[in-house]
Amino acid sequence: MSRTPEGSAAVSRAQAAAARLRVPLVSLLAALVAASAVLLGAGSAQAAGYRYWSFWEGNGKNWEYATQGPSLLRPDDGTVQGFRFAVSENSGDADQPRRAPDFGAICADTPAEDGKKRVALVIDPGTTTDAPDGEKPPALRTACAQVAPDASSAEALAAVAKPLRYDDSAMLCAISGYPKTGCGEQVSGDSGSAKPSEPTKTAEDAGEEGDGGGPSVGLLVGIGAVLLLGIAAVVQARRRR
């Protein structure tokens, strides 16, 4: 069936409109993909850890991340506990003390005493990579604390490694004066620089509740908003056809 001149003109106009619409739609989709990549890339670049003293318990052979803070835990006689200063996002990637939890070796020169318990401690200040700017970590050391039977891990640590420094929320900030400043501060993943923070939990809690480096809720909401704007623009463009 042949078309009338009016029909042919209408088809031509429709084809031209479709062609004009196709270009901005392709551009819009490309912009959406680019925006999503930028947002996701920003999330990865800003993945951060926390610089703090993590707390560990020896199980006879290996180290296990402590499930209680040192001020709450009351170790038994013959226990081995460790403290490691490093940057980590959560307990899953935290660096362990670099000395085996060997009670016999650590407390070999500290004989048992009636009315007291012995707690072997490994105090590992970590490496220069994890040290705050301008500070050098002291050498790793071990100590055998001999304390009252009901003493906490924090009290055992205080018996051999003063001065200790805590913040207002009872977070352990420094052992034997290291580091001189800072307490559980966030360290940006791209530059390694520390950012001020206001920790409200113990160092152990801060390590356990890290987000694992995934995109934050705010980042996902931002991506969703970009996509919704793009969909709305496409719908509006189709209505004008």
Side-chain angles (χ1 to χ4, degrees), residues 37-55:
V38 169
L39 288 172
L40 289 172
S44 299
Q46 294 172 2
Y50 295 87
R51 182 183 285 126
Y52 69 100
W53 281 99
S54 57
F55 180 42

Side-chain angles (χ1 to χ4, degrees), residues 11-22:
V11 171
S12 298
R13 287 194 297 271
Q15 291 175 341
R20 288 194 300 272
L21 180 61
R22 190 178 303 114

Side-chain angles (χ1 to χ4, degrees), residues 19-89:
R20 288 194 300 272
L21 180 61
R22 190 178 303 114
V23 173
L25 282 177
V26 172
S27 300
L28 175 60
L29 290 175
L32 289 174
V33 172
S36 299
V38 169
L39 288 172
L40 289 172
S44 299
Q46 294 172 2
Y50 295 87
R51 182 183 285 126
Y52 69 100
W53 281 99
S54 57
F55 180 42
W56 301 80
E57 294 183 275
N59 61 11
K61 295 182 179 180
N62 303 306
W63 291 108
E64 295 179 352
Y65 200 91
T67 57
Q68 289 182 294
S71 62
L72 298 177
L73 190 61
R74 299 188 181 278
D76 295 328
D77 179 68
T79 297
V80 185
Q81 298 185 323
F83 295 84
R84 172 66 191 269
F85 188 77
V87 175
S88 61
E89 292 183 34

Side-chain angles (χ1 to χ4, degrees), residues 6-241:
E6 293 80 1
S8 298
V11 171
S12 298
R13 287 194 297 271
Q15 291 175 341
R20 288 194 300 272
L21 180 61
R22 190 178 303 114
V23 173
L25 282 177
V26 172
S27 300
L28 175 60
L29 290 175
L32 289 174
V33 172
S36 299
V38 169
L39 288 172
L40 289 172
S44 299
Q46 294 172 2
Y50 295 87
R51 182 183 285 126
Y52 69 100
W53 281 99
S54 57
F55 180 42
W56 301 80
E57 294 183 275
N59 61 11
K61 295 182 179 180
N62 303 306
W63 291 108
E64 295 179 352
Y65 200 91
T67 57
Q68 289 182 294
S71 62
L72 298 177
L73 190 61
R74 299 188 181 278
D76 295 328
D77 179 68
T79 297
V80 185
Q81 298 185 323
F83 295 84
R84 172 66 191 269
F85 188 77
V87 175
S88 61
E89 292 183 34
N90 51 55
S91 60
D93 74 344
D95 292 328
Q96 299 181 4
R98 295 169 296 167
R99 184 68 59 84
D102 188 340
F103 177 85
I106 297 173
C107 288
D109 298 329
T110 305
E113 184 176 326
D114 291 340
K116 291 188 176 182
K117 65 182 177 183
R118 292 179 297 169
V119 179
L121 299 171
V122 175
I123 303 170
D124 186 351
T127 66
T128 55
T129 301
D130 295 323
D133 293 341
E135 295 201 49
K136 181 179 179 180
L140 180 153
R141 70 187 183 96
T142 62
C144 186
Q146 200 161 45
V147 291
D150 62 345
S152 66
S153 300
E155 291 171 324
L157 180 64
V160 298
K162 289 182 178 179
L164 305 180
R165 177 166 57 85
Y166 292 87
D167 71 356
D168 294 339
S169 61
M171 180 175 181
L172 179 61
C173 303
I175 297 177
S176 297
Y178 179 79
K180 295 179 181 178
T181 61
C183 191
E185 65 269 20
Q186 186 177 8
V187 180
S188 61
D190 52 354
S191 65
S193 59
K195 298 180 179 180
S197 66
E198 296 181 0
T200 58
K201 300 179 183 296
T202 63
E204 292 71 34
D205 293 335
E208 289 176 355
E209 296 181 10
D211 59 11
S216 66
V217 173
L219 177 61
L220 296 178
V221 170
I223 294 174
V226 171
L227 294 177
L228 287 175
L229 288 174
I231 293 172
V234 171
V235 172
Q236 185 67 21
R238 287 181 175 178
R239 288 179 177 176
R240 293 176 179 174
R241 292 178 57 182

